[in-house]
Amino acid sequence: MKRTLIASGLLAIAAALIPSLAQAASPAYTLNVSSSLTVDDPMFKGLNQFKEQVEARSGGRIAVKLFPSSQLGPDEDVLEQARSGAGVAVLVDGGRLAPFVKEFGILGAPYVVDSYDEMRKLVTSPLLETWNQKLRAASGHQILSFNWYQGERHLLTMKPVSKPADLAGVRMRTPGAPVWLETVRGLGATPTPMPWAEVYSALQMQAIDAAEAQHPATYGSRLFEVIKHVTKTHHIYLITGLVGSKAWFDKLPADLQTIVREESLKAGDTASKATNDSLANYEKLMREKGVKITEVDVAPFVASTAAVYDKLGYGELRKQVNATLGKK
């Protein structure tokens, strides 16, 4: 009789534990994070940290899965998935958010800041948080953080470049957002919109003549095999944000919302430091591959791209940005 009672009791305890064990084994929320970059890019140091810390701090309630090299599709497609409420997030620049909230485009405007520190100050300011709230209302996106620095963008060409006139008639790959198109025009080239994944073959087949990018992406995509020159124009300090779905984010309990945003900011700083620490080595590696890397006087490029702000209606907004940065 005693054995029967003990066995019955153990069975009851086991039955009570099974649902909780199943719940612990199965996350309540899943976030699929997409990037066009390869796993060798410094950004992935931050993305891996984000995954580890969110899963740890949430006690396994959130599972984070990373998808490099555009495995979930082009960035624009992932942004559309986020709009529909899917549990996805993607590292994107401000230009891709500008169709929803125009202000974001200025983050990718030429020479808007003079250093990474200035960009970090801007993207963690109350000004950017007001843009985030506009974005939530306008498109249903949620910014987790916008401090993922990928490096300064430079010119990637087959011929030497020292001034905007040298780019006349040069077909240069660009993302399709207006701020990128106008910036490339301002630099002196003919913009050719194209997904990043197609750039290598397009250069190889001479469908385009040039591109512009930051060192980690240039090296990660092996573009040193199909270009001869990197001209350091520093025309854009490429800052990106981890952008997901408002609907997905709003379903999270308040404590998990806090964890996701805090860890995204911390991971963005880790990724940014990794980027800054990597730049000199990328230059060394590309020189060893035969690429000529040249510093030039950027003043002509600053002057030739100055009109981008008025063309896109960013004149007044730039004053707000300068005020945020304490600049005249």
Side-chain angles (χ1 to χ4, degrees):
M1 187 67 153
K2 266 189 194 175
R3 276 198 214 118
T4 305
L5 288 172
I6 290 169
S8 299
L10 290 173
L11 285 171
I13 292 169
L17 284 174
I18 287 170
S20 60
L21 288 171
Q23 185 177 14
S26 178
Y29 308 95
T30 299
L31 183 63
N32 295 325
V33 179
S34 175
S35 172
S36 62
L37 305 172
T38 66
V39 293
D40 296 326
D41 192 281
M43 287 292 102
F44 266 83
K45 186 171 184 179
L47 288 173
N48 283 322
Q49 177 183 307
F50 176 72
K51 169 183 170 62
E52 291 167 5
Q53 292 302 310
V54 168
E55 291 181 344
R57 283 186 65 190
S58 70
R61 287 181 289 165
I62 301 178
V64 178
K65 299 179 181 179
L66 305 180
F67 295 86
S69 304
S70 299
Q71 291 177 16
L72 297 183
D75 293 346
E76 292 83 358
D77 289 357
V78 182
L79 282 174
E80 283 304 309
Q81 294 173 38
R83 289 189 78 184
S84 69
V88 296
V90 58
L91 274 178
V92 289
D93 61 273
R96 287 181 172 85
L97 300 180
F100 311 115
V101 174
K102 184 178 178 180
E103 288 90 334
F104 280 102
I106 202 169
L107 296 176
Y111 304 105
V112 68
V113 297
D114 299 320
S115 67
Y116 161 71
D117 289 339
E118 282 191 354
M119 183 60 86
R120 173 65 166 71
K121 182 177 181 179
L122 175 59
V123 297
T124 55
S125 69
L127 180 62
L128 190 122
E129 186 57 29
T130 64
W131 302 351
N132 180 28
Q133 295 305 318
K134 286 186 179 182
L135 188 69
R136 281 171 54 86
S139 66
H141 290 114
Q142 168 69 47
I143 291 174
L144 305 183
S145 70
F146 221 100
N147 61 321
W148 298 71
Y149 177 61
Q150 297 190 26
E152 300 146 78
R153 289 177 80 94
H154 307 298
L155 305 180
L156 316 176
T157 60
M158 296 301 294
K159 65 179 186 178
V161 175
S162 63
K163 57 188 182 300
D166 295 335
L167 292 171
V170 171
R171 299 164 298 171
M172 182 175 289
R173 179 268 173 184
T174 178
V179 68
W180 292 93
L181 296 169
E182 290 301 330
T183 295
V184 168
R185 287 192 186 100
L187 292 169
T190 301
T192 306
M194 180 182 297
W196 179 250
E198 298 175 14
V199 174
Y200 184 101
S201 60
L203 285 166
Q204 190 177 45
M205 297 185 294
Q206 299 181 2
I208 56 174
D209 309 304
E212 50 83 45
Q214 66 279 13
H215 288 343
T218 301
Y219 191 83
S221 295
R222 303 186 67 84
L223 297 190
F224 53 80
E225 296 177 346
V226 288
I227 61 163
K228 293 182 178 179
H229 295 270
V230 173
T231 304
K232 295 179 69 176
T233 48
H234 313 267
H235 53 275
I236 292 172
Y237 280 78
L238 181 60
I239 198 80
T240 50
L242 193 56
V243 182
S245 164
K246 170 185 178 292
W248 180 87
F249 182 81
D250 287 352
K251 289 177 184 176
L252 298 178
D255 66 319
L256 294 186
Q257 291 181 357
T258 298
I259 287 170
V260 167
R261 293 203 74 182
E262 285 182 352
E263 293 305 327
S264 181
L265 187 68
K266 292 176 186 176
D269 283 342
T270 295
S272 299
K273 183 180 185 306
T275 293
N276 277 319
D277 291 347
S278 73
L279 297 179
N281 188 53
Y282 279 123
E283 288 195 6
K284 175 178 176 291
L285 292 172
M286 286 191 285
R287 285 193 176 100
E288 290 173 353
K289 300 293 185 181
V291 176
K292 186 172 183 181
I293 300 177
T294 308
E295 292 274 7
V296 294
D297 178 10
V298 301
F301 295 98
V302 173
S304 68
T305 56
V308 169
Y309 291 89
D310 288 334
K311 280 185 179 179
L312 296 177
Y314 285 143
E316 287 302 313
L317 183 59
R318 192 175 194 186
K319 293 178 184 178
Q320 293 181 39
V321 168
N322 286 343
T324 297
L325 297 175
K327 297 166 69 173
K328 294 183 179 178

